[in-house]
Amino acid sequence: MKLAISLATIVGFTVSLSAFEMTVNDEEVNSLLNTYDKETLTEISNELVKVASEEESLGEYELASSHYKRALKIREAIGLKTHKSFASILYLSSGADFKAGNYCEASLRAKEASLAFKAHGVSKYATKAANDHVAYGRACELLAFK
């Protein structure tokens, strides 16, 4: 039953997005926090990540980025910011941001992901995210000089 509610919520999120409004709506997230328990919110966050991944594979990078951000916001609100999965979603979000042309934001998220992976002792991904931070930062700098 909880999964059905989660899926219905995800569909609602997806439908509520417009091409012109890709920011994370705090009211949407607050509404979820007031409605569901931590376990269900975790499931919703997981579903958002799955949807974002599918959108990314279809080339819908802005939409994917928006869903990753919602997932991060939910996880942060329920106390999972220090969880390893938060670092993974940050990293995925940085890649979607980069592909969407949001180089500066991608660089910041990659740096956050690198620090989070490092805190969890996941050096392979900490290094990969740090390298992406540098690469995305260069793209950000080039964009700033245009």
Side-chain angles (χ1 to χ4, degrees):
M1 181 63 169
K2 286 183 182 181
L3 185 57
I5 292 170
S6 298
L7 291 174
T9 303
I10 300 305
V11 170
F13 269 152
T14 304
V15 171
S16 73
L17 289 174
S18 72
F20 302 106
E21 193 268 313
M22 293 295 180
T23 60
V24 177
N25 186 337
D26 287 337
E27 288 180 24
E28 285 179 347
V29 174
N30 287 336
S31 174
L32 288 174
L33 294 174
N34 293 328
T35 306
Y36 300 108
D37 63 5
K38 185 176 179 177
E39 181 183 334
T40 304
L41 289 166
T42 303
E43 288 177 25
I44 290 169
S45 176
N46 290 341
E47 289 300 318
L48 282 166
V49 171
K50 288 178 190 174
V51 168
S53 178
E54 291 172 17
E55 290 164 344
E56 203 172 348
S57 70
L58 295 171
E60 296 289 341
Y61 305 119
E62 287 282 342
L63 196 54
S65 177
S66 179
H67 282 113
Y68 284 131
K69 288 173 187 162
R70 280 181 170 79
L72 288 166
K73 209 158 190 49
I74 290 169
R75 284 179 179 270
E76 184 174 0
I78 60 175
L80 295 177
K81 188 173 183 177
T82 59
H83 195 272
K84 190 172 20 176
S85 63
F86 193 86
S88 296
I89 299 168
L90 272 172
Y91 185 66
L92 292 169
S93 178
S94 74
D97 282 331
F98 183 77
K99 291 172 189 170
N102 302 323
Y103 307 128
C104 298
E105 191 169 344
S107 178
L108 293 173
R109 289 206 184 274
K111 181 179 181 179
E112 287 179 62
S114 176
L115 294 172
F117 282 131
K118 189 175 184 177
H120 287 286
V122 186
S123 59
K124 176 182 175 182
Y125 288 107
T127 301
K128 186 163 176 30
N131 290 339
D132 286 350
H133 163 64
V134 171
Y136 299 166
R138 287 186 186 131
C140 176
E141 289 173 359
L142 288 174
L143 185 63
F145 286 117
K146 285 188 175 184

